[in-house]
């Protein structure tokens, strides 16, 4: 070998070396990213040396670490503040159940379950043919019973829209002398949210149970008596079950689910470059129905480790 070709050979092999070091570092970064995003923990040595760390997403999604983190995340997103008691955080308990059993995610909202306290004072998820996800949990209903003078569950109606499809309304600051009864809420300035529009709160609340104030702050509920209402762009709903079912069968529900998944993984909404990953999430979630499928589709997207 003459001198020149030796230099060239040396140069070439160091280039190869540099390339593989680059590649290794990239894989390691990817492993850290995937592991932290899903479980909150550093990757295992085995995963760190994986040729394709993104392919480990499915395994990580089945860990207790992921389930616990996602159930907690959902509970913070679905409530304005932590519950005063464990039972009030019904979404957390039911999310655990739905994730652990890999049930369709919509079961969190319409599944045949009830969340309650057992004799040992522990919060448990109980099968209940009449159940409507965590919405049928007593503590949840009480938490969002509100204080409308005639017991109309406006607060619960809003929570249902918010949790399922991500509706965000900022109630107008009530003028101190505003008429807050049904008549008052149909006035200009109120009816836009309360009686008109796709998600009119009073219409939705009319098919929910009614709050009855007992003595000493005791709250009970009675079944709704209202006739079915037509809302949400032409859907007729006659009960809480029909209301929630219509919502979780909508494209808005899938959008909300993928958006929450993005927020869990990135701590922010999806950005424009991530549109293909978002679309894939919608597609996977539509066909597979599980939250796991939605999250995995984002983590396995080429963009996730770039
Ligand atoms: C921008 C939409 C919007 C407008 C406009 C609006 N509201 Fe509301 N209202 C809401 C939402 C959202 C809630 C549920 C808030 C919650 O408890 O989370 C609500 C709840 C209520 C409640 C029940 C509170 C409770 O604790 O149960 C009353 C009463 C009410 N609104 C009266 C009015 C009146 C009167 C007006 C007009 C002056 C009005 N609202 C205008 C969105 C609106």
């Amino acid at each position: 070998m003459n001198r020149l070709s030796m230099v060239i050979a040396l140069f070439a092999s160091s280039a190869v070396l540099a390339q593989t070091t680059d590649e290794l570092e990239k894989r390691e970064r990817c492993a850290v990213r995937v592991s932290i995003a899903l479980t909150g923990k550093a990757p295992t040595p085995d995963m760190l040396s994986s040729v394709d760390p993104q392919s480990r997403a499915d395994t990580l999604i089945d860990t207790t670490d992921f389930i616990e983190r996602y159930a907690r995340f959902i509970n913070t997103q679905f409530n304005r503040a932590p519950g005063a008691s464990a039972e009030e955080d019904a979404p957390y308990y039911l999310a655990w159940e739905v994730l652990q059993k890999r049930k369709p995610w919509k079961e969190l909202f319409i599944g045949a379950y009830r969340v309650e306290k057992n004799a040992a004072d522990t919060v448990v998820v109980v099968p209940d043919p009449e159940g409507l996800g965590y919405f049928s949990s007593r503590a949840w209903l009480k938490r969002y019973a509100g204080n409308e003078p005639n017991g109309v569950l406006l607060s619960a109606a809003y929570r249902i829209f918010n949790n399922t499809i991500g509706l965000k309304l900022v109630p107008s600051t009530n003028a101190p002398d505003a008429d807050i009864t049904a008549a008052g809420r149909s006035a200009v300035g109120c009816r836009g949210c309360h009686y008109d529009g796709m998600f009119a709160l009073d219409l939705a609340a009319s098919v929910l149970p009614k709050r009855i104030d007992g003595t000493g702050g005791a709250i009970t509920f009675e079944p709704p008596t209202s006739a079915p209402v037509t809302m949400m762009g032409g859907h007729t709903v006659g009960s809480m079950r029909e209301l929630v079912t219509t919502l979780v069968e909508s494209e808005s529900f899938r959008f909300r689910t993928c958006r929450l998944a993005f927020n869990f993984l990135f701590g922010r909404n999806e950005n424009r470059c991530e549109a293909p990953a978002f679309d894939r999430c919608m597609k996977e979630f539509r066909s597979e129905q599980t939250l796991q499928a939605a999250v995995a589709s984002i983590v396995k997207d080429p963009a996730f480790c770039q």
Side-chain angles (χ1 to χ4, degrees):
M1 210 186 272
N2 67 30
R3 235 186 129 124
L4 180 65
S5 57
M6 215 162 101
V7 169
I8 290 173
L10 257 176
F11 183 77
S13 64
S14 67
V16 167
L17 194 67
Q19 197 190 20
T20 46
T21 320
D22 255 19
E23 188 55 35
L24 279 178
E25 276 177 6
K26 209 175 143 200
R27 279 184 210 155
E28 281 187 14
R29 264 202 310 276
C30 184
V32 171
R33 184 132 201 225
V34 169
S35 184
I36 295 275
L38 290 173
T39 66
K41 292 187 174 160
T44 57
D46 171 53
M47 178 165 173
L48 209 51
S49 59
S50 164
V51 183
D52 179 9
Q54 283 168 283
S55 68
R56 304 288 180 96
D58 293 317
T59 315
L60 294 180
I61 282 173
D62 274 331
T63 59
T64 304
D65 286 327
F66 172 77
I67 295 174
E68 171 66 13
R69 287 184 77 230
Y70 211 87
R72 274 189 189 283
F73 167 74
I74 280 301
N75 195 59
T76 61
Q77 300 296 305
F78 285 5
N79 294 298
R80 224 177 281 124
S85 67
E87 302 165 270
E88 286 197 348
D89 288 324
Y92 164 78
Y93 294 95
L94 194 49
W96 238 103
E97 175 83 10
V98 170
L99 289 172
Q100 196 183 31
K101 305 239 162 91
R102 274 192 173 257
K103 298 269 188 195
W105 188 234
K106 66 181 174 195
E107 295 221 349
L108 179 58
F109 311 95
I110 58 168
Y113 303 103
R114 201 175 66 231
V115 181
E116 64 178 25
K117 254 190 186 164
N118 67 11
D121 232 23
T122 311
V123 179
V124 286
V125 172
V126 193
D128 177 358
E130 300 289 306
L132 187 68
Y134 62 86
F135 296 135
S136 51
S137 298
R138 217 82 201 137
W140 185 87
L141 214 53
K142 280 192 180 169
R143 179 175 190 179
Y144 291 110
N147 57 18
E148 197 278 341
N150 289 308
V152 180
L153 294 196
L154 293 169
S155 196
Y158 175 58
R159 239 345 85 184
I160 289 173
F161 285 137
N162 171 272
N163 289 185
T164 54
I165 61 165
L167 180 72
K168 276 213 174 87
L169 296 174
V170 181
S172 55
T173 39
N174 270 347
D177 53 351
D179 174 5
I180 61 162
T181 64
R185 297 194 300 274
S186 56
V188 180
C190 310
R191 59 175 310 125
C193 290
H194 283 277
Y195 287 95
D196 298 338
M198 296 267 284
F199 308 108
L201 295 176
D202 269 81
L203 297 193
S206 74
V207 299
L208 302 185
K210 264 196 158 188
R211 187 192 81 239
I212 302 184
D213 298 327
T215 45
I219 294 180
T220 53
F221 297 95
E222 66 177 12
T225 48
S226 142
V229 288
T230 303
M231 59 184 309
M232 301 184 287
H235 292 275
T236 300
V237 294
S239 64
M240 185 161 169
R241 179 174 303 280
E242 285 175 17
L243 174 74
V244 180
T245 304
T246 304
L247 289 165
V248 298
E249 296 300 345
S250 71
E251 193 73 350
S252 307
F253 171 65
R254 292 185 278 272
F255 187 90
R256 162 80 161 159
T257 302
C258 285
R259 174 152 280 180
L260 283 174
F262 261 86
N263 273 276
F264 173 81
L265 295 167
F266 296 94
R268 56 162 173 79
N269 287 349
E270 74 287 355
N271 63 35
R272 228 183 287 166
C273 313
E274 288 150 357
F278 196 88
D279 290 347
R280 192 190 286 189
C281 176
M282 295 278 284
K283 188 169 160 265
E284 283 294 308
F285 185 51
R286 192 180 299 119
S287 65
E288 301 298 319
Q289 311 259 331
T290 62
L291 188 275
Q292 282 89 345
V295 171
S297 73
I298 302 169
V299 176
K300 288 183 189 169
D301 192 90
F304 192 80
C305 274
Q306 267 159 20

